[in-house]
């Protein structure tokens, strides 16, 4: 799987969080393009469903934080969103558009925010013949278990942010990697995950000194809001600077 090769880059793979959240409007096509062009190995996006079944890129349950409008996508059709809502001037993107934009030029992490959308998300990835360079990630174990039930060869990663972590749970549902909040990605935890043949992606890290610490701990991937800067820092870390 190409996505697993992307996660094997040394000293660590770089994952552009919500495309490139610190530089461009999050989860938009311009953010994805920026993440890919900046040299991120993988970009990450979040998926929710509209009232009429369109899969769109959105982290929160509604648009309030991004636009000031507390409108849940589940209560409106996609046409309404396209005509009335922008994120810092950028249109709300669809999963179709994200898959077309990445198109294997980088890996793609698709975070399933609503477990009931799992089948639709997987179907969309197959429609685009993208399964080689896509991984499905989620806080919801049931969503990732369903992905594996659909096709056991699909790559999955379990996200968590509360102690004691979910390394064993990830192994139990046949994930290939875990995504711990960086404070939980201790050297001991990373070693334990590696013993169970799980890769580790630590999030969110936005400075060089912390990135160096996680490189030394053996984190396989680092998710960042600034993939452009992390690409530069990775080269400096490799040279011992």
């Amino acid at each position: 799987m190409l996505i697993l090769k992307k996660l094997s880059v040394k000293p660590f793979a770089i994952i552009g969080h919500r495309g490139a959240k610190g530089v461009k409007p999050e989860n938009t096509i311009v953010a994805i393009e920026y993440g890919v062009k900046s040299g991120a190995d993988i970009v990450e996006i979040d998926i929710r469903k509209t009232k009429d079944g369109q899969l769109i890129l959105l982290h929160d349950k509604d648009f309030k934080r991004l636009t000031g409008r507390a409108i849940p996508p589940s209560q409106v059709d996609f046409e309404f969103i396209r005509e009335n809502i922008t994120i810092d001037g950028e249109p709300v993107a669809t999963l179709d558009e994200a898959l077309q934009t990445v198109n294997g030029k980088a890996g793609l992490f698709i975070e399933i925010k609503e477990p009931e959308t799992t089948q639709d998300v997987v179907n969309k990835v197959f429609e685009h013949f993208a399964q080689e360079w896509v991984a499905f990630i989620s806080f919801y174990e049931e969503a990732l278990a369903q992905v594996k039930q659909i096709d056991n060869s699909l790559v999955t990663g379990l996200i968590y942010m509360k102690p004691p972590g979910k390394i064993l749970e990830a192994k139990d549902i046949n994930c290939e990697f875990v995504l711990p909040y960086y404070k939980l990605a201790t050297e001991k935890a990373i070693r334990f995950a590696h013993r169970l043949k799980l890769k580790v992606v630590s999030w969110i890290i936005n400075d060089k000194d912390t990135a160096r610490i996680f490189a030394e701990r053996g984190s396989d991937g680092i998710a960042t809001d600034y993939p452009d800067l992390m690409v530069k820092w990775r080269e400096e870390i490799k040279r011992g600077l």
Side-chain angles (χ1 to χ4, degrees):
M1 279 288 199
L2 179 61
I3 189 67
L4 291 176
K5 290 181 181 177
K6 295 284 187 183
L7 266 180
S8 300
V9 174
K10 300 301 179 187
F12 52 81
I14 295 169
I15 296 90
H17 181 226
R18 303 181 201 169
K21 178 179 177 289
V23 190
K24 299 290 183 180
E26 67 178 61
N27 274 319
T28 62
I29 296 304
V30 295
I32 295 169
E33 289 174 339
Y34 190 91
V36 172
K37 289 176 182 176
S38 71
D41 304 290
I42 298 162
V43 290
E44 180 264 352
I45 59 174
D46 305 284
I47 300 299
R48 293 188 182 274
K49 186 186 278 191
T50 64
K51 184 178 180 180
D52 57 342
Q54 180 68 262
L55 297 170
I56 64 167
L57 277 57
L58 182 67
H59 178 272
D60 300 359
K61 291 181 179 179
D62 60 33
F63 291 98
K64 185 174 183 180
R65 176 176 58 87
L66 296 176
T67 71
R69 305 180 72 178
I71 301 171
S74 60
Q75 294 181 13
V76 291
D77 289 346
F78 179 65
E79 184 178 357
F80 174 89
I81 294 171
R82 265 289 160 89
E83 291 178 355
N84 294 280
I85 297 175
T86 59
I87 300 170
D88 288 339
E90 294 297 326
V92 176
T94 66
L95 179 54
D96 278 314
E97 291 166 342
L99 289 163
Q100 290 163 4
T101 300
V102 177
N103 196 27
K105 297 188 287 289
L108 181 65
F109 283 176
I110 299 176
E111 182 177 343
I112 299 172
K113 305 296 288 186
E114 301 161 338
E116 63 272 19
T117 67
T118 300
Q119 181 73 61
D120 291 337
V121 173
V122 172
N123 289 348
K124 192 64 68 176
V125 169
F126 276 118
E127 282 177 28
H128 288 264
F129 303 99
Q131 55 269 31
E132 283 289 324
W133 46 270
V134 163
F136 302 87
I137 65 175
S138 187
F139 281 94
Y140 297 99
E141 292 155 60
E142 64 268 31
L144 301 179
Q146 186 180 349
V147 170
K148 288 294 190 179
Q149 288 167 3
I150 295 167
D151 187 332
N152 193 52
S153 72
L154 296 173
V155 176
T156 59
L158 182 60
I159 316 169
Y160 54 88
M161 63 181 299
K162 295 179 181 179
K166 289 193 172 184
I167 294 171
L168 287 173
E169 289 87 343
K171 189 66 177 178
D172 285 343
I173 57 172
N174 297 315
C175 290
E176 283 75 19
F177 61 105
V178 289
L179 302 98
Y181 178 54
Y182 79 101
K183 290 184 178 180
L184 298 183
T186 61
E187 186 175 355
K188 180 180 178 181
I190 291 171
R191 283 202 310 267
F192 180 51
H194 286 167
R195 284 202 300 274
L196 294 180
K197 309 299 184 187
L198 292 167
K199 292 184 179 294
V200 178
V201 175
S202 307
W203 57 274
I204 297 294
I205 296 168
N206 288 330
D207 68 274
K208 178 181 170 182
D209 289 342
T210 308
R212 182 185 286 110
I213 290 168
F214 280 82
E216 292 169 352
R217 289 182 185 178
S219 187
D220 301 283
I222 288 177
T224 179
D225 296 330
Y226 301 93
D228 51 344
L229 295 177
M230 193 61 73
V231 167
K232 178 172 75 77
W233 294 334
R234 180 171 65 183
E235 288 306 308
E236 293 174 354
I237 290 168
K238 283 168 69 174
R239 299 202 307 270
L241 299 178

